[in-house]
Amino acid sequence: MKWIKLLTKNKIPYYIYKIKKEDFIILNKNNSNAMIILSGIIAITKVFHNKELLPIAILDRNNILIRGSKEAKTYYKIVALEKTYILTLNKDLLNKSNNILININLLNSYNKTIDKYEAMNHIMSQKQIKHRILQLIFTICLQFGKVESQKIFIPFKLSNKNIAILTGTSENTVNKVIRKIYQQGIIKDYSNKVISINNILDLNLK
């Protein structure tokens, strides 16, 4: 992988962590490392002191995280939606690097990460919960979907619990909405929590 090769070549120390599906890690104000996703998919939420959750982004390969929350009693929770490998290193060493390839890759990772943050902001801007859930599903299909036999499907199990977290609603509400849009034919398959859509051009979102 390019990050491992670049860091090894420039003698910048790093560590690699494996996060199993549904496992999580916490980032708080004491976090001083940069984190680069080598493979896998993670969901990030901001957890406030009253336990309220704010969805932040869904990130994958080559996206980057630089710091935890600066606010007291507030932290970021990173949940693996599938098996994920994360590279961590001292952010000061990364920022001080004079290697042009590292800086180019760092800039590209920043830009890709910002796009993912903007996508989540767009999802949360939907006032109706149904539209918010649909926007989440379509965004995930666009970012991570696989096309097979004229069908696009999400290549990992997306639980109703995670949909609730990523749309800022309750799991009970998600159950009702998912059941309704499945019956309407918006989602063509929902077996084993693997979502697929047969023909996105024929969708009726009313």
Side-chain angles (χ1 to χ4, degrees), residues 175-197:
N175 291 337
K176 294 178 181 178
V177 173
I178 288 291
R179 190 181 305 114
K180 183 176 181 180
I181 61 180
Y182 177 76
Q183 292 171 349
Q184 291 175 331
I186 297 175
I187 294 175
K188 301 300 181 181
D189 190 14
Y190 195 56
S191 58
N192 297 320
K193 307 297 183 186
V194 176
I195 298 173
S196 66
I197 302 171

Side-chain angles (χ1 to χ4, degrees), residues 28-205:
N28 55 33
K29 63 180 182 179
N30 297 319
N31 179 69
S32 60
N33 291 328
M35 305 177 67
I36 301 169
I37 302 173
L38 298 179
S39 66
I41 301 172
I42 63 171
I44 307 175
T45 55
K46 188 173 184 179
V47 184
F48 295 91
H49 62 89
N50 60 358
K51 302 305 178 182
E52 181 181 349
L53 302 178
L54 176 65
I56 299 297
I58 301 173
L59 305 181
D60 65 337
R61 186 168 62 90
N62 287 330
N63 288 155
I64 187 169
L65 292 166
I66 289 297
R67 63 168 183 251
S69 175
K70 290 184 175 181
E71 304 170 35
K73 298 183 180 180
T74 299
Y75 59 88
Y76 289 115
K77 183 177 181 179
I78 297 177
V79 179
L81 299 181
E82 64 177 21
K83 183 172 64 177
T84 299
Y85 289 90
I86 293 180
L87 181 150
T88 70
L89 69 161
N90 186 289
K91 63 183 179 183
D92 293 329
L93 293 178
L94 188 62
N95 291 332
K96 292 178 181 179
S97 172
N98 294 319
N99 183 281
I100 188 169
L101 288 178
I102 288 181
N103 290 331
I104 288 174
N105 280 284
L106 187 60
L107 182 60
N108 288 337
S109 293
Y110 273 127
N111 288 335
K112 290 179 180 178
T113 305
I114 289 173
D115 288 342
K116 301 293 176 61
Y117 277 65
E118 291 177 347
M120 182 57 71
N121 286 336
H122 186 63
I123 291 169
M124 295 304 294
S125 70
Q126 303 295 322
K127 294 183 179 180
Q128 293 188 31
I129 294 299
K130 175 184 175 182
H131 292 167
R132 197 181 295 176
I133 291 173
L134 285 171
Q135 187 70 47
L136 172 69
I137 292 172
F138 295 156
T139 298
I140 293 176
C141 282
L142 180 63
Q143 294 179 350
F144 313 112
K146 305 294 183 181
V147 177
E148 184 177 286
S149 301
Q150 298 183 338
K151 178 188 294 185
I152 182 169
F153 67 95
I154 298 173
F156 56 88
K157 293 181 180 180
L158 185 63
S159 68
N160 285 4
K161 178 181 178 181
N162 284 331
I163 293 176
I165 291 172
L166 292 171
T167 54
T169 188
S170 69
E171 191 171 347
N172 185 52
T173 299
V174 171
N175 291 337
K176 294 178 181 178
V177 173
I178 288 291
R179 190 181 305 114
K180 183 176 181 180
I181 61 180
Y182 177 76
Q183 292 171 349
Q184 291 175 331
I186 297 175
I187 294 175
K188 301 300 181 181
D189 190 14
Y190 195 56
S191 58
N192 297 320
K193 307 297 183 186
V194 176
I195 298 173
S196 66
I197 302 171
N198 284 347
N199 192 343
I200 197 170
L201 297 178
D202 290 338
L203 291 179
N204 181 357
L205 303 183

